Amino acid sequence: MAESTFSVLNLIGALASEDGSEIKFSIDSYKGYKYVSIRKYLKSETYSGPTKAGITLSPEIVGKINTALAALPEDYKAVQEGELGKYAKKQGLSIVLRVSSYMGSKGIDLRQWQEDETYTGWTKKGIRLPIEKLKEVKELFAKTAKYFEENK
């Protein structure tokens, strides 16, 4: 029988921000299925813990994102804006990996895109990774992909 509770199996690593928050990469399990969670965590006087900003990815999608990120130039300043990949999560729902500017700042976006009879467009689920930390982002995805290769 599949386990019906959520559990964190392995913390892969984190990207620290100047404001004290961090983006954590972890391998989680729910009902016997392993997936990757990339989520922003706050640390403040009033609240410390996970936020709604985040996304979950299957091992297959992590492998594809890892390949797409590895192809980017080492110098983050040389990275061009645009879509790097669109990966089916389930019927009508995809994960889009892109480099874009928002409020004058370039970043790596991982967002859900919904396409069905009720709605077509971005959902609220997603995370923005700082382009300045491209090297660390690549390392975290490589480490995550390696975990799944070794733990099939």
Side-chain angles (χ1 to χ4, degrees):
M1 188 168 108
E3 191 177 325
S4 64
T5 59
F6 165 83
S7 63
V8 176
L9 301 176
N10 190 354
L11 178 61
I12 298 296
L15 297 170
S17 296
E18 293 86 33
D19 64 0
S21 66
E22 59 185 2
I23 298 171
K24 292 184 180 182
F25 285 60
S26 64
I27 310 294
D28 300 342
S29 174
Y30 183 69
K31 294 188 176 182
Y33 294 99
K34 289 182 186 177
Y35 61 93
V36 176
S37 177
I38 304 172
R39 183 153 311 281
K40 185 173 183 177
Y41 284 73
L42 291 181
K43 290 181 185 176
S44 71
E45 291 178 19
T46 56
Y47 175 76
S48 291
T51 68
K52 290 182 180 182
I55 198 158
T56 59
L57 307 170
S58 69
E60 296 77 23
I61 292 175
V62 167
K64 292 174 182 175
I65 291 172
N66 181 48
T67 301
L69 290 175
L72 291 177
E74 291 300 315
D75 180 8
Y76 73 87
K77 293 176 184 172
V79 175
Q80 299 295 312
E81 289 188 30
E83 189 172 299
L84 302 174
K86 188 174 184 180
Y87 315 103
K89 190 169 183 178
K90 64 180 184 179
Q91 182 69 35
L93 200 61
S94 299
I95 301 294
V96 177
L97 170 66
R98 65 188 180 137
V99 176
S100 64
S101 289
Y102 178 71
M103 295 178 63
S105 174
K106 198 189 297 187
I108 303 165
D109 281 320
L110 277 167
R111 301 245 170 245
Q112 282 192 171
W113 177 265
Q114 183 175 329
E115 222 167 316
D116 59 31
E117 62 280 346
T118 60
Y119 176 74
T120 297
W122 301 109
T123 71
K124 292 182 179 181
K125 294 186 180 182
I127 191 86
R128 185 170 177 82
L129 305 171
I131 193 81
E132 299 82 19
K133 298 199 177 205
L134 179 60
K135 183 179 180 201
E136 293 171 68
V137 170
K138 286 181 171 187
E139 289 169 357
L140 286 166
F141 271 98
K143 193 173 174 184
T144 305
K146 185 178 180 184
Y147 172 90
F148 284 113
E149 288 171 13
E150 295 174 348
N151 295 281
K152 289 185 179 184

